[in-house]
Amino acid sequence: MSGGAMSDTLTEELEKYRIGPRMRELRLRKKLGLVQLAEHTGLSPAMLSKIERGQVFPTLPTLLRIALVFRVDLDYFFKKTEARIAVTRRDERIRLAIPGGTSPASYLFESLDYPLAERRMEAFLAHFPSGAPPSEPHQHGVEEMIYVIEGSLAVVVDEETVTLGEGDAMSFDPSLLHSYQGQGDKECLALVVALA
């Protein structure tokens, strides 16, 4: 899939993995030219060149073919180097709608710690639009905490409903079915932290 078919934000996130430069480093280490690599992978030299320059992001099957030629695992291309500190700037966060591809979304979330490799918790800024439907009941992880920054939020955990207002917080076992829904006539903004 080319960068033109994706949002700028997703393209920027993919660029952080440096898939193209990592592929080029492997190729040069093995002393292979683009034509030789093309013969081994079945891809054209032009396509391989575009991948190396970051003009095109390879599909997983394509990347797997390249990994097999170089005898590396797929995770070689996805290891993050900035593993110890993660700074997430307000204007650089990715905002994803849940569920994806529907309108209106139940909520939108922005990951606050996505850049941190091997994290043991996930932190999100969640936006619950006014009048949005409740989220689908779901379960995950071992512990979750919600803190309402503004607005009001109904949280259903194991069929019990708790309504939270500004400044309220709650923790619960997210292995129980749970869902969320903003309340009132203005958007609810909440911090959600989950332990994986």
Side-chain angles (χ1 to χ4, degrees):
M1 178 182 285
S2 70
M6 292 184 284
S7 75
D8 290 342
T9 311
L10 290 176
T11 299
E12 285 169 20
E13 285 302 311
L14 278 171
E15 284 170 353
K16 288 180 185 177
Y17 287 102
R18 300 182 61 252
I19 291 171
R22 287 181 189 202
M23 188 178 103
R24 186 171 192 277
E25 287 165 18
L26 282 173
R27 181 174 63 78
L28 295 177
R29 203 181 306 155
K30 292 272 190 185
K31 297 181 171 61
L32 286 176
L34 284 171
V35 173
Q36 292 170 296
L37 182 57
E39 289 170 1
H40 288 296
T41 60
L43 301 165
S44 73
M47 175 58 74
L48 291 169
S49 176
K50 285 181 180 179
I51 292 170
E52 283 191 0
R53 293 194 318 266
Q55 294 176 330
V56 170
F57 296 106
T59 63
L60 276 177
T62 297
L63 195 57
L64 182 57
R65 276 205 244 163
I66 293 164
L68 289 170
V69 168
F70 290 124
R71 294 189 177 99
V72 296
D73 290 330
L74 264 179
D75 65 359
Y76 173 87
F77 295 101
F78 297 105
K79 288 179 185 164
K80 290 192 176 183
T81 53
E82 56 278 304
R84 298 183 60 138
I85 298 173
V87 176
T88 310
R89 304 286 180 202
R90 176 192 292 217
D91 59 347
E92 296 173 355
R93 292 194 295 256
I94 298 174
R95 185 182 285 199
L96 297 173
I98 302 296
T102 63
S103 184
S106 297
Y107 62 99
L108 300 100
F109 74 86
E110 301 172 19
S111 176
L112 300 176
D113 60 354
Y114 171 74
L116 193 63
E118 297 181 28
R119 61 193 186 277
R120 291 181 292 277
M121 69 172 194
E122 293 181 307
F124 303 100
L125 188 60
H127 303 258
F128 299 90
S130 172
S135 67
E136 286 294 318
H138 58 283
Q139 52 197 144
H140 57 87
V142 294
E143 190 170 350
E144 184 166 323
M145 188 278 300
I146 299 173
Y147 173 77
V148 176
I149 299 167
E150 54 186 54
S152 179
L153 181 68
V155 183
V156 179
V157 179
D158 200 25
E159 299 184 14
E160 180 182 343
T161 302
V162 176
T163 301
L164 303 172
E166 291 182 20
D168 291 344
M170 79 178 281
S171 297
F172 60 92
D173 176 352
S175 68
L176 300 169
L177 277 176
H178 59 283
S179 66
Y180 326 96
Q181 184 176 27
Q183 304 291 292
D185 57 2
K186 69 174 190 171
E187 176 181 83
C188 174
L189 187 63
L191 174 66
V192 180
V193 179
L195 294 181

